[in-house]
Amino acid sequence: MFVDQAKITVKAGDGGNGIVSFRREKYVPDGGPDGGNGGRGGHVILKVDSGMRTLMDFRYKKKYQAENGKHGAKKNCYGKDGVNLIVKVPPGTLVKDVKTGVVIADLTEDDSDFIVARGGKGGRGNSEFKTSTRRAPTFAEAGFKGVERELILELKMIADVGLVGYPNVGKSTLLARVTKAKPKIANYHFTTLKPNLGVVEVIKGQSFVMADIPGLIAGAAQGVGLGHDFLRHIERTRLILHIVDVSSIEGRDPIEDYRVIRDELKQYNQKLAERPTVVVANKADIIADAQLFDAFKDFIKSEDLPLFTISAVTGEGVDRLMRFVTEKLAGLPIEPLVESITIEDLEMLEEKHNPYQIDISKQGDVYELTGEGVARLVYSTNFDDYDSLRRFEGYLRRRGIFDRLREMGIEEGQTVRIFDFEFEFYD
Ligand SMILES: Nc1nc2c(ncn2[C@@H]2O[C@H](COP(=O)(O)OP(=O)(O)OP(=O)(O)O)[C@@H](O)[C@H]2O)c(=O)[nH]1
Ligand SMILES: [Mg+2]
């Protein structure tokens, strides 16, 4: 089965908590704080495996979670970092973040990898909070949550040359003739149901990859027929071979066929229509209407495009065409498909959308704080410790929670609840 799109969820590991602990040694009274830091959560990393050809694996497994960092321990022991999770993807995988709609990576090169979700930092243990005036801090910091993201993976195969054309014009026949690929070939429309790739090497050391996609028909760009789903695979190609059946054996006019396909490419993506194109007149061995063929040749000349006349079945003209393509490719740059962004940029974007969220609701006279941001804060606070409470208050103030409470109409002395903890509001 050929699967070229998938939606998955990746969850990086949470950072381990820092812990509160005090040295307890024989003969040492009043040992200082020795609570260690938590470890970092594992990242989720996508890595290109050139042996993979589809996104099929992602059809069955949708959730990918890296290991959490371990909590800190006594004697200033750091918690272990969580193990990174490496997820293999085929070359040509485009990675989109669902929430922001941003393309974060375009993974093409073998073995290249990309962190798609960074593990949460570990929290600091109480020994890190020791100062000259605060010799025995009784609080530590909670680990940060690992990022969770929904991603769309989209496979855009990496081929240098794309074969496009009406169904049954001989695209697969040509691919089979010049490469080791064995696409299905038959005399009916839509024989090819999924893209096929093959390597062409007519000039030694100058091989290139050619892709054969299902035939296109009018309306393809809007989803008619099969072609639309596969057009994305030729988006990466540097050169398009537009195959036209010039035999008129099916009673169609090659000029008309050419125009229809051209239009579809343009509608799908203007860039495709601007891509360097070579027109290939196929089935020259069985031309039924020489007049139509002559008209076609004149027409292509007027379009100012290179035209090659071949027979994919007899092999006539094929070698000449492949040599021309090889040389043409040498002068065509490989351009990245999309501008991707760094994970840091994405995190900043998300941070703006939703930093560790704190929600406030009002129940009767009580104001209640909930959300991710609060959970971390509660762990990181020792409500019996004055210093810790001051940090807690400072954090809420910096995050604008006091302002928000006031906007909601809170009065001095009213109750604010966070989980089981309640305090009276005084500004
Ligand atoms: N006589 C002749 N027949 C050809 C030539 N090229 C292809 N054919 C025949 O045309 C029919 C269709 O060939 P395919 O290669 O399957 O065509 P396709 O463009 O891949 O078709 P779809 O996959 O359906 O889009 C087959 O019967 C081929 O044998 C040619 O140059 N000359
Ligand atoms: Mg085919």
Side-chain angles (χ1 to χ4, degrees):
M1 203 201 312
F2 186 80
V3 176
D4 57 3
Q5 235 181 351
K7 198 179 200 180
I8 61 170
T9 305
V10 290
K11 164 80 175 67
D14 297 338
N17 295 336
I19 65 152
V20 177
S21 153
F22 293 93
R23 227 170 356 248
R24 233 173 276 228
E25 283 167 52
K26 266 187 196 166
Y27 317 118
V28 184
D30 259 359
D34 73 348
N37 299 346
R40 176 180 62 71
H43 303 312
V44 180
I45 300 173
L46 299 190
K47 183 167 184 170
V48 174
D49 177 351
S50 60
M52 281 174 80
R53 280 275 168 251
T54 84
L55 295 171
M56 184 144 80
D57 295 359
F58 301 99
R59 185 144 250 185
Y60 304 104
K61 188 165 158 40
K62 301 239 174 239
K63 178 126 198 194
Y64 294 83
Q65 179 150 11
E67 196 185 35
N68 293 339
K70 299 275 183 301
H71 300 318
K74 290 170 165 301
K75 296 187 181 167
N76 288 318
C77 281
Y78 280 61
K80 250 192 167 168
D81 287 347
V83 176
N84 294 338
L85 178 69
I86 294 179
V87 180
K88 291 189 172 164
V89 296
T93 301
L94 212 79
V95 187
K96 245 186 229 161
D97 176 58
V98 171
K99 195 150 104 208
T100 55
V102 166
V103 173
I104 47 180
D106 183 10
L107 297 165
T108 54
E109 252 157 74
D110 193 22
D111 278 338
S112 60
D113 54 22
F114 196 87
I115 298 178
V116 287
R118 281 209 284 200
K121 272 195 311 193
R124 288 170 291 173
N126 68 333
S127 63
E128 297 250 344
F129 293 100
K130 188 178 156 186
T131 61
S132 55
T133 53
R134 183 205 293 144
R135 297 185 44 221
T138 57
F139 57 92
E141 201 177 32
F144 287 78
K145 283 259 178 267
V147 173
E148 176 162 342
R149 291 206 169 92
E150 228 185 342
L151 302 176
I152 289 181
L153 305 182
E154 207 175 285
L155 180 60
K156 296 189 193 244
M157 289 195 307
I158 302 169
D160 303 291
V161 175
L163 298 175
V164 302
Y166 218 80
N168 217 37
V169 296
K171 300 179 295 297
S172 303
T173 309
L174 179 60
L175 185 78
R177 171 143 215 116
V178 296
T179 73
K180 290 204 178 82
K182 300 211 169 6
K184 193 171 161 199
I185 295 167
N187 192 16
Y188 54 82
H189 289 200
F190 299 119
T191 309
T192 302
L193 299 174
K194 66 175 185 62
N196 298 292
L197 288 180
V199 180
V200 181
E201 190 175 72
V202 283
I203 301 176
K204 226 178 154 29
Q206 291 193 52
S207 62
F208 61 88
V209 176
M210 194 155 87
D212 163 31
I213 66 163
L216 302 173
I217 52 175
Q222 274 77 49
V224 181
L226 293 170
H228 175 268
D229 289 341
F230 300 102
L231 276 170
R232 76 170 71 108
H233 296 299
I234 53 170
E235 278 186 66
R236 272 187 204 288
T237 59
R238 290 185 280 152
L239 183 69
I240 289 175
L241 290 195
H242 187 154
I243 317 283
V244 184
D245 176 353
V246 292
S247 70
S248 305
I249 207 96
E250 292 190 36
R252 291 196 315 264
D253 176 357
I255 296 181
E256 196 45 41
D257 282 8
Y258 171 83
R259 279 206 176 115
V260 167
I261 302 297
R262 210 54 212 159
D263 256 18
E264 292 306 325
L265 294 182
K266 210 177 278 178
Q267 277 177 45
Y268 180 78
N269 180 346
Q270 180 61 30
K271 276 201 199 128
L272 273 187
E274 290 159 12
R275 189 111 347 138
T277 300
V278 175
V279 181
V280 178
N282 190 32
K283 306 200 186 178
D285 56 311
I286 50 162
I287 286 181
D289 188 331
Q291 263 177 341
L292 277 179
F293 181 36
D294 284 340
F296 179 70
K297 282 194 280 196
D298 289 343
F299 170 73
I300 296 301
K301 202 181 254 167
S302 71
E303 292 275 283
D304 211 19
L305 287 172
L307 173 72
F308 282 77
T309 302
I310 67 161
S311 164
V313 160
T314 68
E316 177 201 332
V318 171
D319 194 59
R320 214 168 61 87
L321 168 64
M322 290 302 140
R323 280 174 190 279
F324 177 81
V325 168
T326 307
E327 274 153 22
K328 180 108 184 148
L329 282 175
L332 295 175
I334 302 175
E335 280 168 28
L337 195 59
V338 286
E339 301 267 342
S340 45
I341 70 167
T342 65
I343 200 75
E344 287 84 4
D345 287 343
L346 178 63
E347 282 170 2
M348 256 157 59
L349 219 89
E350 288 172 334
E351 182 78 9
K352 268 193 209 137
H353 281 280
N354 181 14
Y356 272 101
Q357 183 143 349
I358 298 181
D359 301 313
I360 310 178
S361 60
K362 192 178 170 191
Q363 272 133 34
D365 282 342
V366 177
Y367 292 77
E368 183 163 23
L369 305 187
T370 49
E372 195 73 68
V374 176
R376 241 200 111 235
L377 186 61
V378 166
Y379 178 91
S380 307
T381 306
N382 178 349
F383 293 99
D384 299 326
D385 180 297
Y386 178 70
D387 274 345
S388 187
L389 276 175
R390 273 211 354 234
R391 276 169 50 85
F392 166 82
E393 198 191 297
Y395 180 83
L396 290 183
R397 219 177 266 286
R398 275 198 310 283
R399 286 291 310 269
I401 302 302
F402 278 44
D403 291 341
R404 277 167 64 192
L405 284 167
R406 248 181 271 111
E407 274 163 31
M408 288 174 76
I410 198 167
E411 284 164 25
E412 305 268 308
Q414 279 189 313
T415 305
V416 178
R417 183 189 301 143
I418 301 181
F419 291 106
D420 297 335
F421 175 73
E422 290 186 348
F423 64 92
E424 285 175 2
F425 180 83
Y426 285 107
D427 205 359

